[in-house]
Amino acid sequence: MNGIVVLTQDSPSTDFKALRTFALPTQVKLVAQTPPSPKDWTADVPNLLSAVEANLVAKGYAKHTGTATSADFGVTVSAILGTEEEYFTGVWCDYCFWYPGTPYCGAQCSWDFSYIGDYRYGTLIIELHEFTAPPPGAGERVKTHWSAALYSVLPDTGYDAAKAKDAIDRAFAQSPRVAR
Amino acid sequence: MKAPLLALAVLTAVPAAAQIAPGAVSFQPVERDRDFRRYDTIWNFTYELGGAIGSFSQYISAVSPVGFNLEGRSKVTRRLSVGLTFGFNRYSQTSDLASLALDNGGTASGPLYRYAHFLSPRLTAHYYFLDQSVQPYVGVGLGAVWSFAYQRVADLEESDSGFHFASHAEAGLYWSLALSDSRLALTAAVRYTFTTVSFAQVQNAMMLSGLLGVAWQI
């Protein structure tokens, strides 16, 4: 089957109207790839992050300008490449995301909603998560509010920036609970 | 000598009685009964072009070009028949972009492929308004349907199957092509089908269809 598939799931226990500000990372983390590759996805990163930011602003949230961890929630954007990858909410938790001036490393995430699908390659993952200060240590948990998996937006060849932006827009559009 | 004489009397009396009053007692069937017996069994094979209606049309809106029926009818009177029909219908559709609610509470959007199969045996009854080369009729059917519905977005798939109640009402006609001891006819009908098949957002799947086929009346 051809085409881009977007899967989204939000935490039933999150009150999205109570959240106000978000912190946006500066990079797209490459979570897995076969064969191994550098740790960051580099293509079109500013536009990908801008699209995420624009959707969150359109939903009524404000971009946090101070220390990232004082924002109401953080945003992570990840790329999954390779084959037969299986994604569960909170996959980023073994990695560090760089917010402006602030590394934030996941140690062990928690989520009160379930696995949302299988993915093979070329998938962009967007997650909204809570911040804890200080960052979680071993055995500590971080709550994930919302996950989106954008299947087939990062192909091996022929990356299409317009399609990637459309998929990001669709992810937020099909998540009506994620709004102030 | 009494027995041979009695036999001779009987042998001579019966033909004589027949000659005296040939129409008084007749063992020949009347014309009406003879027609009834000639075409009292009907075999139909029809192609069905169907469209979903009601909530089923929101699941699959495309017209189904895959539908067939095989039916046998037996006249119980000149104008009434009962029978048994077996039908198969396949409805399918691929959408470039559709949204699908997942069992775990999530939402998937993307190219969506769906199909639904229906295999149904039903008892039928038909009433024929005329007994001539063009023969309009109305009919009903009652029975069961086995359904299988499937939908898929990327590698996420859902399916549902089961036995349910099915019924239909139809109006149609036969157009006889040749008259003899048996006759070949073309048949056309419009059929409304109601089932209790429910899956995904579909409640009591219903269809409206047109049937075209041939009939062999024996």
Side-chain angles (χ1 to χ4, degrees):
Chain A
M1 179 175 288
N2 297 317
I4 293 173
V5 176
V6 174
L7 298 104
T8 56
Q9 192 166 22
D10 52 76
S11 167
S13 65
T14 295
D15 180 4
F16 288 95
K17 294 187 183 304
L19 303 174
R20 292 172 300 167
T21 59
F22 65 91
L24 200 65
T26 57
Q27 94 282 48
V28 174
K29 180 66 71 177
L30 191 58
V31 172
Q33 187 174 28
T34 304
S37 72
K39 292 181 178 179
D40 287 349
W41 172 266
T42 56
D44 202 31
V45 169
N47 288 331
L48 292 174
L49 295 177
S50 293
V52 174
E53 178 182 343
N55 275 279
L56 286 170
V57 170
K59 293 272 193 177
Y61 301 109
K63 186 178 179 181
H64 189 68
T65 54
T67 304
T69 51
S70 61
D72 289 340
F73 64 94
V75 181
T76 61
V77 183
S78 320
I80 296 182
L81 304 180
T83 58
E84 299 299 333
E85 289 297 335
E86 197 171 65
Y87 169 67
F88 291 79
T89 302
V91 70
W92 66 274
C93 294
D94 291 333
Y95 299 84
C96 292
F97 279 83
W98 285 87
Y99 293 93
T102 308
Y104 191 81
C105 301
Q108 183 179 1
C109 285
S110 70
W111 52 93
D112 52 6
F113 51 104
S114 63
Y115 149 82
I116 62 173
D118 295 327
Y119 306 91
R120 296 211 166 81
Y121 59 85
T123 300
L124 191 70
I125 303 293
I126 307 169
E127 291 185 309
L128 310 183
H129 65 91
E130 73 173 3
F131 275 119
T132 58
E140 296 179 328
R141 294 178 179 273
V142 175
K143 177 179 172 60
T144 303
H145 298 305
W146 176 82
S147 290
L150 286 53
Y151 180 95
S152 194
V153 299
L154 307 175
D156 293 339
T157 58
Y159 170 75
D160 188 324
K163 287 185 177 178
K165 181 182 181 307
D166 287 345
I168 292 171
D169 292 345
R170 199 202 304 171
F172 285 96
Q174 72 186 42
S175 304
R177 283 194 68 232
V178 182
R180 271 190 54 79
Chain B
M1 291 298 290
K2 284 183 179 177
L5 286 175
L6 182 59
L8 181 62
V10 170
L11 287 172
T12 55
V14 171
Q19 289 174 355
I20 292 169
V25 177
S26 174
F27 296 102
Q28 298 297 320
V30 296
E31 188 64 18
R32 185 178 58 192
D33 290 337
R34 193 166 57 200
D35 282 351
F36 165 55
R37 286 172 184 159
R38 186 182 294 170
Y39 305 129
D40 67 350
T41 300
I42 305 170
W43 291 101
N44 280 347
F45 180 73
T46 52
Y47 166 76
E48 184 173 350
L49 187 68
I53 57 178
S55 60
F56 186 31
S57 68
Q58 295 165 5
Y59 187 79
I60 295 177
S61 59
V63 170
S64 162
V66 182
F68 303 96
N69 294 276
L70 178 62
E71 181 178 13
R73 302 179 189 177
S74 180
K75 290 280 189 68
V76 291
T77 71
R78 284 191 69 206
R79 296 201 183 273
L80 191 66
S81 72
V82 295
L84 181 64
T85 183
F86 290 93
F88 173 76
N89 300 87
R90 171 187 168 87
Y91 291 80
S92 65
Q93 187 165 27
T94 298
S95 305
D96 290 337
L97 178 59
S99 185
L100 174 66
L102 303 177
D103 290 340
N104 60 14
T107 301
S109 65
L112 176 66
Y113 173 59
R114 286 173 165 163
Y115 70 77
H117 289 171
F118 301 94
L119 186 62
S120 178
R122 293 172 213 167
L123 295 171
T124 64
H126 289 85
Y127 180 81
Y128 305 88
F129 294 100
L130 301 172
D131 191 8
Q132 55 191 37
S133 61
V134 176
Q135 194 174 34
Y137 63 82
V138 292
V140 295
L142 293 174
V145 60
W146 176 81
S147 68
F148 181 81
Y150 173 90
Q151 59 183 349
R152 179 186 181 110
V153 174
D155 53 357
L156 298 171
E157 56 188 9
E158 291 181 350
S159 64
D160 184 276
S161 64
F163 278 97
H164 304 272
F165 169 78
S167 62
H168 71 253
E170 65 183 1
L173 60 81
Y174 287 120
W175 179 33
S176 298
L177 299 178
L179 281 169
S180 66
D181 284 345
S182 61
R183 65 183 180 184
L184 184 67
L186 297 179
T187 181
V190 176
R191 174 182 290 180
Y192 163 76
T193 303
F194 172 86
T195 75
T196 57
V197 174
S198 298
F199 53 88
Q201 70 267 39
V202 177
Q203 293 294 320
N204 297 333
M206 296 180 285
M207 304 78 133
L208 189 62
S209 52
L211 290 81
L212 282 174
V214 293
W216 187 248
Q217 301 175 319
I218 304 169

